[in-house]
Amino acid sequence: FFMEQSKKGKEWTIRRIPGLDAIDEAVGRCTELKRPLHYNVGLSNVRGRAAAQTMAGINVLTYTARLCAKYDTEMIVTCCNYEQLPYLEEAVEAEFTAVGKTVPASYVRYVGRGQGQLSIACQGIFERENIGANIMLGLYDEECVAIAEKGYRVGAMGIGGCASLGQVAILAAIMDYVLIGEEMYAAGAYISRDPVQLSTIVASDLPKIGGLILLVLGLILTQFGFNFKDLLMR
């Protein structure tokens, strides 16, 4: 229903995710310190079940690249999946071209396929380049521990996001700011303004609102002596 309404011209609005303000802060910090900003969208390709996480990370990358281009901030985008590479290059190039600037070849780096290669490459880059901020939005596995920890050790501001509960817990323990689960999708939709993505975010909120209403209603009825247990046991 929501997608059909979008196709008919309906414009859905969602609130700005606080994590985007953290990205503004990260770019500003790197600009002041004259240190590069690191960005990564995880392990997944642009197809399959985890593709939504990758595309959300790429959408946020366009916003980050726009700020870096505006303030002449050096950025390093690492990639460990060759299917991501053209999307990452296009996202960065489009934002720099929009302000009349050329993207240095060193900004987008393919570091080899796999989580081991990504972990080793990122740790080396963090140490050599002395990054000022580390942004990780996408699908991650155990390599996110080493990458996030290395960013912390070099004094970089950390922003992370993942839809996997196990990895979100790790990012929350190390990073300064975390986009938890659907916040990452919402941030990507907010930036891209894609009607389908926005309608999906709005539609997914309805069951949550309904559940919250039922919860509040149940608490009120319980205060008046209504016993749900007896009702269910009948």
Side-chain angles (χ1 to χ4, degrees):
F1 170 78
F2 286 94
M3 288 185 180
E4 288 298 325
Q5 292 298 310
S6 296
K7 293 177 182 178
K8 294 178 181 179
K10 172 68 175 178
E11 295 184 1
W12 304 104
T13 58
I14 59 176
R15 66 178 177 84
R16 180 180 172 88
I17 302 299
L20 296 180
D21 295 328
I23 292 177
D24 292 351
E25 181 183 345
V27 174
R29 184 175 190 272
C30 291
T31 305
E32 291 178 0
L33 298 176
K34 298 188 183 302
R35 295 165 64 179
L37 178 145
H38 171 259
Y39 196 104
N40 182 264
V41 297
L43 305 172
S44 178
N45 53 33
V46 293
R47 297 174 288 112
R49 292 181 299 175
Q53 296 187 60
T54 303
M55 297 311 297
I58 292 174
N59 286 339
V60 179
L61 171 61
T62 62
Y63 178 76
T64 308
R66 189 181 311 153
L67 293 176
C68 288
K70 179 180 179 180
Y71 297 113
D72 290 322
T73 305
E74 180 184 355
M75 69 183 307
I76 301 171
V77 182
T78 53
C79 171
C80 70
N81 189 311
Y82 61 86
E83 290 189 14
Q84 299 174 359
L85 190 58
Y87 292 87
L88 299 176
E89 291 176 334
E90 182 180 355
V92 175
E93 184 177 0
E95 298 303 326
F96 274 76
T97 303
V99 295
K101 297 178 181 178
T102 303
V103 182
S106 61
Y107 274 24
V108 182
R109 307 180 187 182
Y110 180 70
V111 298
R113 187 172 179 84
Q115 59 194 65
Q117 288 83 347
L118 177 64
S119 176
I120 294 171
C122 285
Q123 292 182 69
I125 290 171
F126 291 4
E127 191 69 39
R128 292 191 304 271
E129 307 282 352
N130 191 27
I131 64 167
N134 175 32
I135 302 177
M136 301 168 60
L137 298 176
L139 174 68
Y140 292 98
D141 209 331
E142 65 268 12
E143 78 288 338
C144 77
V145 181
I147 299 174
E149 176 68 17
K150 188 62 176 181
Y152 172 79
R153 288 184 178 276
V154 299
M157 176 181 173
I159 302 173
C162 185
S164 170
L165 293 179
Q167 305 311 317
V168 164
I170 294 172
L171 293 174
I174 303 174
M175 296 294 206
D176 297 294
Y177 298 92
V178 180
L179 298 178
I180 300 175
E182 292 183 359
E183 285 186 338
M184 186 170 62
Y185 302 134
Y190 180 90
I191 292 170
S192 69
R193 310 308 301 175
D194 180 76
V196 175
Q197 293 185 28
L198 288 172
S199 62
T200 302
I201 296 297
V202 173
S204 66
D205 279 345
L206 291 182
K208 301 172 189 174
I209 296 173
L212 183 60
I213 292 174
L214 290 176
L215 177 62
V216 173
L217 181 61
L219 291 173
I220 294 174
L221 291 176
T222 301
Q223 295 299 315
F224 286 95
F226 190 88
N227 195 318
F228 287 95
K229 181 179 179 181
D230 292 341
L231 178 64
L232 294 174
M233 293 298 290
R234 290 177 183 175

